[in-house]
Amino acid sequence: MALAGRKVLVTGGTRGLGYATARRLAQEGCDLALCARDPASVNKAADELRTCYGATVHAASLDVRDETALNAFVQRSVEVLGRADALVACAGGAVGGGFFDATARDWEETYRLNVGHSAQALRSAAPHLARTRGSAVLVASVSGWKPAPPAQYAAAKAAQIHLAASLARELGPHGIRVNAVSPGSTLVPGKGWDRLRREEPEAYQAFQREFPMGELMAPEDVAAVIAFLLSDQARAVNGANIPVDGGQNAPSAYGY
């Protein structure tokens, strides 16, 4: 994809989909800056990428909801890597439970974790991306455009999709492309769907019927699309939301 030599910042880039994305970009010859909350996973991911792919990797442990820490990560990443060609906002998740259990604080924190961090990371990186005519990918979710609980997560992911479309128009004149990807339910070892497969095999088998080809996504499936969107092959793709869900129907194992 002619990504060799690109300098890419990835939030939430040390486990699951984020690490699969970092690994794919390293395979393509990119140098990387990664951040996540857990210092051990940050260091492990950075060491593996350096050892396996020879990538230059700047790694930092931080909570992406901390605006000061996130800004510092972006600026330090540019100092270490020399420039910024791309940003992947992959950190995210849900805080709180169902509608009657989730508090106002749960809604606020879910928004900050998904939408707020994406906007702030891109705001901080934008002057650097403008110099390289770079691009950004915001990792949303199938839950952002197909209904699924918890509502605070679905609403935040829908906002991320709209954020990408809005910023594509606003940042386009600066030479920056912004797109979203919406992964479907992704089978990550040790995570929720993997636990369902092991602990409730009948429920998992029933859930597989929500996919026309009978399989959940692999993190590498999504990482490949992200790599494409960051490449010059996607120079005409801007403001889009790309579903990577295998045609998934309900985003939940328990239906709509």
Side-chain angles (χ1 to χ4, degrees), residues 2-244:
L3 286 169
R6 300 283 177 92
K7 318 297 183 180
V8 187
L9 285 60
V10 184
T11 68
T14 65
R15 291 187 292 188
L17 173 56
Y19 184 61
T21 299
R23 189 171 60 243
R24 175 59 186 260
L25 294 173
Q27 289 171 344
E28 296 284 346
C30 297
D31 293 322
L32 300 164
L34 310 176
C35 71
R37 282 182 292 182
D38 178 50
S41 66
V42 168
N43 293 331
K44 181 175 183 291
D47 288 344
E48 288 176 351
L49 294 171
R50 295 183 188 113
T51 301
C52 295
Y53 307 107
T56 296
V57 183
H58 168 61
S61 174
L62 61 104
D63 187 332
V64 295
R65 293 172 292 185
D66 182 334
E67 181 178 323
T68 300
L70 184 57
N71 289 341
F73 165 72
V74 172
Q75 300 311 318
R76 181 58 180 158
S77 297
V78 174
E79 292 173 5
V80 172
L81 300 179
R83 66 177 191 273
D85 297 302
L87 167 71
V88 180
C90 193
V95 180
F99 185 62
F100 293 106
D101 297 318
T103 65
R105 182 63 181 271
D106 292 335
W107 279 77
E108 178 184 350
E109 291 302 312
T110 300
Y111 183 91
R112 289 178 63 199
L113 181 56
N114 296 278
V115 190
H117 118 262
S118 298
Q120 186 57 45
L122 186 47
R123 183 177 183 181
S124 186
H128 307 288
L129 296 176
R131 296 188 187 101
T132 59
R133 296 188 68 83
S135 64
V137 173
L138 312 186
V139 179
S141 169
V142 62
S143 298
W145 66 289
K146 295 180 181 179
Q152 66 272 24
Y153 178 74
K157 289 302 184 182
Q160 261 187 310
I161 293 169
H162 202 83
L163 177 68
S166 297
L167 291 180
R169 298 184 66 86
E170 188 168 352
L171 298 181
H174 299 278
I176 303 170
R177 292 186 300 112
V178 186
N179 291 290
V181 295
S182 287
S185 300
T186 304
L187 189 61
V188 178
K191 296 297 184 179
W193 298 119
D194 188 37
R195 290 195 299 271
L196 183 71
R197 180 177 64 173
R198 288 183 283 106
E199 297 171 6
E200 300 182 55
E202 291 184 2
Y204 183 82
Q205 290 172 8
F207 183 45
Q208 287 179 301
R209 291 195 287 270
E210 300 292 346
F211 299 82
M213 292 183 291
E215 295 181 353
L216 279 68
M217 303 306 99
E220 292 75 17
D221 297 327
V222 185
V225 175
I226 293 173
F228 165 73
L229 288 173
L230 297 181
S231 76
D232 291 341
Q233 295 178 21
R235 62 183 299 272
V237 183
N238 194 23
N241 173 46
I242 310 297
V244 190

